[in-house]
Structure formats: C-alpha cells, structure tokens
Amino acid sequence: MTLAASQKDFMAQVLDEDHALPDGWSARHAAGLAIYRNNYRTSLVEALRSTYERTASYVCEEAFRQAAVHHLITHPPKSWTLDRAGDGFPDTLRELFKSDPEVAELGWLEAAMQRAFVAADAAPLDAAGFAGATALFTEDDWSAMQLAFLPGTALAPVEHDIPALWRAVDPDGESPSQADRLDAPMHLLVWREGLKPVFRLIDRSEGEAMAALLGGTSYGDACAMLVDRLGEEAAIAQAGAMLGRWLHDGLIESVSSPAARG
Amino acid sequence: MMNTISRFDGFGLGLRRTHYADFLDGDVPVDFVEVISENFMVDGGNPLRVLTQVREKLPVILHGVSMSIGSAHGLDCEYLRRLRALAERIEPLWVSDHLCWTRTSAHNSHDLLPMPYTEEALRLVCDNIDHAQEALGRAMLFENPSSYLTFPEDEMREWEFVAEMAKRSGCYLLLDVNNIYVSAHNHGFDASECLRALPHDRVRQIHLAGHTDGEIKIDTHDQPVCGGVWDLYREAVALAGPVATMIERDDGIPPLPELLDELDVARSIAAGTRSKVAA
Ligand SMILES: [Fe+2]
C-alpha cells in the first residue's frame, strides 16, 4: 500500500470505529488506534463546546455531546482551522432539535459572535465620513450605492428572544428551560464594536433590507423592497432611520457607487 | 540554501488565554513565549492584538499543529500563506511544527497522527519540508511526537528517521523530552539511547510537559513534568548545550506562579548540568 492509501485508510479508522483494521494489525495496534480516535473525538467535541458553550448549557451536557458527535459524523472537519469544525452546526441543531427551534437560533448567535471576534480589523465610517463620501452623489449614485458593512457583520431571522436567552444562560451553570417567543419574527444582528462582538434584535423590514445589502443589492433596490413592505412614506422614514442607526452603531465600513464618476 | 537558526538560550512558557492579563499587565520572568500559530492565523480581532502587544515585550515562537508535514497529500497552500503572513507580522524566534500528519485531501483529524518510519515516508517528509521552508522563506524546527502505535512496515527507528530528516532537509529539531519518554514506554525502546542518537547540533528547543500514565502513556499536557522526564531533560541539556527550554501546559492550566516555579526547576537543572560540563 502506498503512504497516501495507508493515510486514507488510517483516517477512515479515526473517523469510524467500525472500519476494518488493515491486514497484519494486532490488538496492540487497535489499542493505539483507539487512543487516536478518542483524541480526535474529544478534542473536536471540546472545540464545539467552546464555541457553543451557551447552547451546550441550554440543552444540557449529554444532549449537546450527542449532537456534536452526530455533527462530526455527518460533517467531518475539512479545514486546518478548528474554528471551522463548527461550520453548519446550527443546521445540525435545527435538524436534531426540531421541536425547540430556539436551540439552532442560539447556536447561530454563538457562531456569529465567534466569527466576528476574529474578523478583520476595520474602522467604521461615522456620520461626517459618510457625508463626505456621498457629498457629490447624484440621484443615480444614491440609487446605485453599495454599502460595505464591517467584517464580521452577520444577520439571521429569529422567532425567539435570543438576546434574553443569551443573557439568562450561564455557560457554567443554571439555564432557563425555555425561550420566549417573539410577538413577530425579527432579525438578529451581530457585529463588532472595537474588539467586542455585540448583537441586537432588529425588525423584519430592517433585517430584510440589510440582508439584501449584505448580499450586494444596491441601496435603491433595498429601498424599493421597503416601499413594497411599508408603503412609500413609511419606507422613506425607515430608510433614513436605518442608515442613521447603522452609522451610529459603526456598522458601515465604506460606501461606493458604481454610478459615481471621478 | 535555507537560512540558519541561531541558538537562543532561554526559558519560556506557552502563552495561553488564562494568562493573557499577566503577560499584558506585568513583567513575567520568562525569556520568551510560545504560541499555537493556528490560534493567531485569523483575520483580526483581540487575539492578534494581544500577541502583538506581548511581542513588544518578549520574543515569540510560533508553534503549529496543523501543517501536516507528513501528509502524503501535500501541504495546504492557503495554510502556508497565512502562516507566512503571521510570521512576517510577529517576527518570531522561529516557526515549528510536528513530525506527523493531520489531514488527507478530504478530512482533517486535528490530531497529530503517526508516521511509518520508511524510506518512502522520509522522502515525502523531506519534500514537504522543502516546500514549507521555501513557502515561509525560513528554516523550521520539527518536533518528535508522542505516538501510540508503530507500523508493521517500519524500516528504521524513530531517531534514525529524525536524524536523516534533519540532514536531508536542513530543518532544525524541537526535542520534546516528554514525547521521547512517552514513546519509549509505549514502544519499548530506551529513551536515553534515543536521545544520544539524535543530531544534537540541530536542536534549538526543548519541550517539557506532563502526560497521563497507563498501559499506553498519553501525551496530555495536563499535569506537572514527572521525575523521569526531568532526568531525561538533564541528559538532553548536557547533549544539546544551550537551547531554549519551555514547559507546555494546555489543560488543567494552573496559576502562572506554579508554572514559573516549574520553569525554575528547569533553570536549575540546566545550570547544574552546564557547570558540570564546563568543569
Ligand atoms: Fe511538544
């Protein structure tokens, strides 16, 4: 067997305890292999637990361990960085905790906070900076304007009061047994203030507009979405208020307009 | 020809999150710190800020766990690019990783998996080291790992493999004395014989750590250095001469003063050994 083939086989042994031992391997080999397999599993479950510490506390230790092991079997890690071993884990939680959808929402928040924590450093645009950047904008420029949000900014729809759940869960101790449902679906927004990841709930129209802008939609098209949802007058007020909040919170890194000249 | 790595005679600790404040706010009596490279191969944020500030006070060693230098599937170019960027930013004493493999083209075990000690594996490791040293623009140190099994196809002993690896690739060695102790127990070889057979002029750093006892000893880095490892350290210092020594503690991390006391034990053993060698 070539080294490439034997490493592939060894990896299969590490990932799956039912994989047959190579020819000529003894019980001593099997005992050694069991240590590697256990190291792999323990360190990855630990890595997930450290990113998803509140989720682990909320669903209880054993249920979390089972979910983590399930995730490792269905999504064996591919990247060199342990930070990415939890990629897709909120989806696994959604699937495993079908009748408790707040679990996946809490998991999403923890993952987004972790990503924001190590996102690239960038200085946010303040109101004066924004005014300067858009001073020469024509009507067309405004409508074609693209907003670049600070690295690490992330957003997801939620149906539960996840900020309250986050505060109520003690990663090392007691946790509430359920989460409050929101009166209406909202979006949960995560970004970084200086070195510190933070979050807040935003209403659905703001969330949808921001999701579109994060996906590269122009400001004009995002405003058109608002008009469809809120009507013209309310949309104009909402668009102005949103932009003001985002600048105030330091969410916007830069603005540009493909229509702008010179 | 890769650049050479000068000897650095000093005593250091791993920089771990629980001790960030000690290192940022005070003057910790160490000569260097070692960090796990991957924890800082990120885009930005607090970890890099902390490391940059600690670097203003102390020399730093970048110690990696994910290069997978023994991988038959080659090295990950994105990984090498990020590591180079970190090294250029931090200007470390040196960059190290382990003689092991962690990944195939499809999966990553995040564990230090063992190499068969064959000529095929040796050629592959040396090719990969050439690639890594070229990509980083600097020579590296590689560490002897703890292992829990040996392969039926082995053609040479671990120390023969390591010596040949250093000779062919021009890399330097990070001698983990605890790993020798653990592997010697697990595979029934003589730890001192192994130590004596390694090329001492290539050693630039020594790791000390604790392990978990059992029929197969496990390299857990979660307890103090044991007596047998201190004895082996005495022999290692006599053979390798003045090199950097550091204590690895990754789990059950005690308050800093406890680790500093342990480091003082290393200092006094090294001082005693050297005065004896000089006399
Ligand atoms: Fe080590």
Side-chain angles (χ1 to χ4, degrees), chain A residues 26-47:
Chain A
S26 63
R28 172 63 185 79
H29 286 109
L33 198 52
I35 292 174
Y36 288 107
R37 189 181 298 126
N38 185 57
N39 281 353
Y40 160 74
R41 202 164 281 184
T42 313
S43 67
L44 280 147
V45 169
E46 252 341 288

PDB file of all heavy atoms in Angstrom, chain A residues 26-47:
ATOM      1  N   SER A  26      -2.463  -5.866  14.880  1.00  0.00           N
ATOM      2  CA  SER A  26      -2.722  -6.672  16.075  1.00  0.00           C
ATOM      3  C   SER A  26      -3.668  -5.933  17.013  1.00  0.00           C
ATOM      4  O   SER A  26      -4.079  -4.797  16.755  1.00  0.00           O
ATOM      5  CB  SER A  26      -1.393  -6.883  16.799  1.00  0.00           C
ATOM      6  OG  SER A  26      -0.903  -5.614  17.217  1.00  0.00           O
ATOM      7  N   ALA A  27      -3.948  -6.589  18.136  1.00  0.00           N
ATOM      8  CA  ALA A  27      -4.763  -5.955  19.179  1.00  0.00           C
ATOM      9  C   ALA A  27      -4.037  -4.731  19.732  1.00  0.00           C
ATOM     10  O   ALA A  27      -4.662  -3.741  20.116  1.00  0.00           O
ATOM     11  CB  ALA A  27      -5.035  -6.956  20.295  1.00  0.00           C
ATOM     12  N   ARG A  28      -2.691  -4.789  19.767  1.00  0.00           N
ATOM     13  CA  ARG A  28      -1.915  -3.628  20.241  1.00  0.00           C
ATOM     14  C   ARG A  28      -2.103  -2.431  19.303  1.00  0.00           C
ATOM     15  O   ARG A  28      -2.236  -1.294  19.744  1.00  0.00           O
ATOM     16  CB  ARG A  28      -0.434  -4.020  20.338  1.00  0.00           C
ATOM     17  CG  ARG A  28       0.520  -2.875  20.638  1.00  0.00           C
ATOM     18  CD  ARG A  28       0.246  -2.236  22.003  1.00  0.00           C
ATOM     19  NE  ARG A  28       1.089  -1.066  22.251  1.00  0.00           N
ATOM     20  CZ  ARG A  28       0.884   0.132  21.756  1.00  0.00           C
ATOM     21  NH1 ARG A  28      -0.155   0.345  20.968  1.00  0.00           N
ATOM     22  NH2 ARG A  28       1.703   1.129  22.024  1.00  0.00           N
ATOM     23  N   HIS A  29      -2.124  -2.714  17.986  1.00  0.00           N
ATOM     24  CA  HIS A  29      -2.392  -1.633  17.034  1.00  0.00           C
ATOM     25  C   HIS A  29      -3.782  -1.046  17.267  1.00  0.00           C
ATOM     26  O   HIS A  29      -3.973   0.165  17.235  1.00  0.00           O
ATOM     27  CB  HIS A  29      -2.296  -2.141  15.591  1.00  0.00           C
ATOM     28  CG  HIS A  29      -0.899  -2.389  15.138  1.00  0.00           C
ATOM     29  ND1 HIS A  29      -0.403  -3.650  14.932  1.00  0.00           N
ATOM     30  CD2 HIS A  29       0.114  -1.536  14.879  1.00  0.00           C
ATOM     31  CE1 HIS A  29       0.870  -3.553  14.546  1.00  0.00           C
ATOM     32  NE2 HIS A  29       1.206  -2.288  14.512  1.00  0.00           N
ATOM     33  N   ALA A  30      -4.730  -1.938  17.495  1.00  0.00           N
ATOM     34  CA  ALA A  30      -6.113  -1.486  17.702  1.00  0.00           C
ATOM     35  C   ALA A  30      -6.200  -0.601  18.945  1.00  0.00           C
ATOM     36  O   ALA A  30      -6.914   0.410  18.954  1.00  0.00           O
ATOM     37  CB  ALA A  30      -7.044  -2.685  17.826  1.00  0.00           C
ATOM     38  N   ALA A  31      -5.426  -0.963  19.990  1.00  0.00           N
ATOM     39  CA  ALA A  31      -5.449  -0.162  21.222  1.00  0.00           C
ATOM     40  C   ALA A  31      -4.855   1.224  20.976  1.00  0.00           C
ATOM     41  O   ALA A  31      -5.358   2.234  21.487  1.00  0.00           O
ATOM     42  CB  ALA A  31      -4.681  -0.887  22.326  1.00  0.00           C
ATOM     43  N   GLY A  32      -3.781   1.279  20.175  1.00  0.00           N
ATOM     44  CA  GLY A  32      -3.174   2.574  19.843  1.00  0.00           C
ATOM     45  C   GLY A  32      -4.131   3.433  19.030  1.00  0.00           C
ATOM     46  O   GLY A  32      -4.318   4.624  19.296  1.00  0.00           O
ATOM     47  N   LEU A  33      -4.744   2.787  18.051  1.00  0.00           N
ATOM     48  CA  LEU A  33      -5.699   3.475  17.190  1.00  0.00           C
ATOM     49  C   LEU A  33      -6.860   4.053  18.002  1.00  0.00           C
ATOM     50  O   LEU A  33      -7.325   5.174  17.742  1.00  0.00           O
ATOM     51  CB  LEU A  33      -6.229   2.463  16.171  1.00  0.00           C
ATOM     52  CG  LEU A  33      -6.902   2.988  14.930  1.00  0.00           C
ATOM     53  CD1 LEU A  33      -6.018   4.007  14.222  1.00  0.00           C
ATOM     54  CD2 LEU A  33      -7.191   1.821  13.998  1.00  0.00           C
ATOM     55  N   ALA A  34      -7.302   3.282  18.991  1.00  0.00           N
ATOM     56  CA  ALA A  34      -8.428   3.737  19.819  1.00  0.00           C
ATOM     57  C   ALA A  34      -8.071   5.040  20.527  1.00  0.00           C
ATOM     58  O   ALA A  34      -8.937   5.902  20.730  1.00  0.00           O
ATOM     59  CB  ALA A  34      -8.803   2.659  20.832  1.00  0.00           C
ATOM     60  N   ILE A  35      -6.781   5.212  20.873  1.00  0.00           N
ATOM     61  CA  ILE A  35      -6.370   6.466  21.525  1.00  0.00           C
ATOM     62  C   ILE A  35      -6.464   7.632  20.538  1.00  0.00           C
ATOM     63  O   ILE A  35      -6.978   8.699  20.865  1.00  0.00           O
ATOM     64  CB  ILE A  35      -4.942   6.338  22.096  1.00  0.00           C
ATOM     65  CG1 ILE A  35      -4.966   5.337  23.255  1.00  0.00           C
ATOM     66  CG2 ILE A  35      -4.400   7.693  22.554  1.00  0.00           C
ATOM     67  CD1 ILE A  35      -3.614   4.996  23.813  1.00  0.00           C
ATOM     68  N   TYR A  36      -6.000   7.410  19.309  1.00  0.00           N
ATOM     69  CA  TYR A  36      -6.113   8.477  18.307  1.00  0.00           C
ATOM     70  C   TYR A  36      -7.573   8.827  18.061  1.00  0.00           C
ATOM     71  O   TYR A  36      -7.938   9.997  17.937  1.00  0.00           O
ATOM     72  CB  TYR A  36      -5.443   8.067  16.994  1.00  0.00           C
ATOM     73  CG  TYR A  36      -3.934   8.055  17.097  1.00  0.00           C
ATOM     74  CD1 TYR A  36      -3.230   6.861  17.131  1.00  0.00           C
ATOM     75  CD2 TYR A  36      -3.224   9.249  17.193  1.00  0.00           C
ATOM     76  CE1 TYR A  36      -1.848   6.853  17.243  1.00  0.00           C
ATOM     77  CE2 TYR A  36      -1.844   9.249  17.310  1.00  0.00           C
ATOM     78  CZ  TYR A  36      -1.161   8.052  17.332  1.00  0.00           C
ATOM     79  OH  TYR A  36       0.204   8.052  17.455  1.00  0.00           O
ATOM     80  N   ARG A  37      -8.424   7.797  17.975  1.00  0.00           N
ATOM     81  CA  ARG A  37      -9.836   8.035  17.687  1.00  0.00           C
ATOM     82  C   ARG A  37     -10.472   8.827  18.831  1.00  0.00           C
ATOM     83  O   ARG A  37     -11.219   9.771  18.615  1.00  0.00           O
ATOM     84  CB  ARG A  37     -10.555   6.692  17.490  1.00  0.00           C
ATOM     85  CG  ARG A  37     -11.959   6.851  16.969  1.00  0.00           C
ATOM     86  CD  ARG A  37     -12.629   5.496  16.821  1.00  0.00           C
ATOM     87  NE  ARG A  37     -11.960   4.635  15.877  1.00  0.00           N
ATOM     88  CZ  ARG A  37     -11.539   3.402  16.148  1.00  0.00           C
ATOM     89  NH1 ARG A  37     -11.715   2.875  17.350  1.00  0.00           N
ATOM     90  NH2 ARG A  37     -10.957   2.674  15.223  1.00  0.00           N
ATOM     91  N   ASN A  38     -10.114   8.444  20.041  1.00  0.00           N
ATOM     92  CA  ASN A  38     -10.664   9.128  21.200  1.00  0.00           C
ATOM     93  C   ASN A  38     -10.153  10.575  21.282  1.00  0.00           C
ATOM     94  O   ASN A  38     -10.918  11.495  21.583  1.00  0.00           O
ATOM     95  CB  ASN A  38     -10.296   8.349  22.464  1.00  0.00           C
ATOM     96  CG  ASN A  38     -10.940   8.958  23.686  1.00  0.00           C
ATOM     97  OD1 ASN A  38     -12.166   9.083  23.739  1.00  0.00           O
ATOM     98  ND2 ASN A  38     -10.137   9.385  24.638  1.00  0.00           N
ATOM     99  N   ASN A  39      -8.857  10.773  20.984  1.00  0.00           N
ATOM    100  CA  ASN A  39      -8.301  12.138  20.973  1.00  0.00           C
ATOM    101  C   ASN A  39      -9.049  13.010  19.973  1.00  0.00           C
ATOM    102  O   ASN A  39      -9.376  14.157  20.257  1.00  0.00           O
ATOM    103  CB  ASN A  39      -6.822  12.123  20.555  1.00  0.00           C
ATOM    104  CG  ASN A  39      -5.920  11.699  21.692  1.00  0.00           C
ATOM    105  OD1 ASN A  39      -6.359  11.530  22.821  1.00  0.00           O
ATOM    106  ND2 ASN A  39      -4.646  11.516  21.384  1.00  0.00           N
ATOM    107  N   TYR A  40      -9.267  12.432  18.788  1.00  0.00           N
ATOM    108  CA  TYR A  40      -9.963  13.171  17.732  1.00  0.00           C
ATOM    109  C   TYR A  40     -11.341  13.588  18.216  1.00  0.00           C
ATOM    110  O   TYR A  40     -11.710  14.761  18.168  1.00  0.00           O
ATOM    111  CB  TYR A  40     -10.071  12.286  16.485  1.00  0.00           C
ATOM    112  CG  TYR A  40     -11.141  12.698  15.499  1.00  0.00           C
ATOM    113  CD1 TYR A  40     -10.964  13.818  14.696  1.00  0.00           C
ATOM    114  CD2 TYR A  40     -12.334  11.979  15.379  1.00  0.00           C
ATOM    115  CE1 TYR A  40     -11.949  14.210  13.792  1.00  0.00           C
ATOM    116  CE2 TYR A  40     -13.316  12.360  14.487  1.00  0.00           C
ATOM    117  CZ  TYR A  40     -13.122  13.477  13.699  1.00  0.00           C
ATOM    118  OH  TYR A  40     -14.105  13.865  12.822  1.00  0.00           O
ATOM    119  N   ARG A  41     -12.075  12.629  18.709  1.00  0.00           N
ATOM    120  CA  ARG A  41     -13.454  12.905  19.096  1.00  0.00           C
ATOM    121  C   ARG A  41     -13.499  13.896  20.266  1.00  0.00           C
ATOM    122  O   ARG A  41     -14.258  14.863  20.238  1.00  0.00           O
ATOM    123  CB  ARG A  41     -14.144  11.591  19.459  1.00  0.00           C
ATOM    124  CG  ARG A  41     -15.620  11.700  19.355  1.00  0.00           C
ATOM    125  CD  ARG A  41     -16.284  10.344  19.323  1.00  0.00           C
ATOM    126  NE  ARG A  41     -16.203   9.715  18.012  1.00  0.00           N
ATOM    127  CZ  ARG A  41     -16.778   8.551  17.730  1.00  0.00           C
ATOM    128  NH1 ARG A  41     -17.456   7.897  18.678  1.00  0.00           N
ATOM    129  NH2 ARG A  41     -16.693   8.035  16.526  1.00  0.00           N
ATOM    130  N   THR A  42     -12.676  13.661  21.274  1.00  0.00           N
ATOM    131  CA  THR A  42     -12.696  14.527  22.449  1.00  0.00           C
ATOM    132  C   THR A  42     -12.321  15.962  22.083  1.00  0.00           C
ATOM    133  O   THR A  42     -12.978  16.908  22.510  1.00  0.00           O
ATOM    134  CB  THR A  42     -11.692  14.013  23.507  1.00  0.00           C
ATOM    135  OG1 THR A  42     -11.892  12.617  23.648  1.00  0.00           O
ATOM    136  CG2 THR A  42     -11.876  14.683  24.841  1.00  0.00           C
ATOM    137  N   SER A  43     -11.277  16.113  21.257  1.00  0.00           N
ATOM    138  CA  SER A  43     -10.837  17.489  21.027  1.00  0.00           C
ATOM    139  C   SER A  43     -11.834  18.221  20.143  1.00  0.00           C
ATOM    140  O   SER A  43     -12.039  19.428  20.303  1.00  0.00           O
ATOM    141  CB  SER A  43      -9.414  17.548  20.465  1.00  0.00           C
ATOM    142  OG  SER A  43      -9.389  17.007  19.186  1.00  0.00           O
ATOM    143  N   LEU A  44     -12.485  17.511  19.235  1.00  0.00           N
ATOM    144  CA  LEU A  44     -13.465  18.203  18.400  1.00  0.00           C
ATOM    145  C   LEU A  44     -14.746  18.521  19.152  1.00  0.00           C
ATOM    146  O   LEU A  44     -15.319  19.593  18.984  1.00  0.00           O
ATOM    147  CB  LEU A  44     -13.730  17.420  17.116  1.00  0.00           C
ATOM    148  CG  LEU A  44     -12.572  17.736  16.167  1.00  0.00           C
ATOM    149  CD1 LEU A  44     -12.213  16.597  15.282  1.00  0.00           C
ATOM    150  CD2 LEU A  44     -12.864  18.980  15.365  1.00  0.00           C
ATOM    151  N   VAL A  45     -15.192  17.603  19.992  1.00  0.00           N
ATOM    152  CA  VAL A  45     -16.378  17.905  20.808  1.00  0.00           C
ATOM    153  C   VAL A  45     -16.056  19.098  21.715  1.00  0.00           C
ATOM    154  O   VAL A  45     -16.856  20.014  21.881  1.00  0.00           O
ATOM    155  CB  VAL A  45     -16.833  16.675  21.627  1.00  0.00           C
ATOM    156  CG1 VAL A  45     -17.879  17.055  22.654  1.00  0.00           C
ATOM    157  CG2 VAL A  45     -17.382  15.592  20.687  1.00  0.00           C
ATOM    158  N   GLU A  46     -14.841  19.111  22.264  1.00  0.00           N
ATOM    159  CA  GLU A  46     -14.385  20.249  23.099  1.00  0.00           C
ATOM    160  C   GLU A  46     -14.395  21.553  22.312  1.00  0.00           C
ATOM    161  O   GLU A  46     -14.808  22.596  22.825  1.00  0.00           O
ATOM    162  CB  GLU A  46     -12.951  19.979  23.582  1.00  0.00           C
ATOM    163  CG  GLU A  46     -12.780  19.640  25.038  1.00  0.00           C
ATOM    164  CD  GLU A  46     -13.924  20.023  25.944  1.00  0.00           C
ATOM    165  OE1 GLU A  46     -14.109  21.233  26.196  1.00  0.00           O
ATOM    166  OE2 GLU A  46     -14.646  19.118  26.402  1.00  0.00           O
ATOM    167  N   ALA A  47     -13.915  21.493  21.076  1.00  0.00           N
ATOM    168  CA  ALA A  47     -13.871  22.706  20.241  1.00  0.00           C
ATOM    169  C   ALA A  47     -15.289  23.222  20.003  1.00  0.00           C
ATOM    170  O   ALA A  47     -15.559  24.424  20.081  1.00  0.00           O
ATOM    171  CB  ALA A  47     -13.180  22.416  18.913  1.00  0.00           C
TER     172      ALA A  47
END
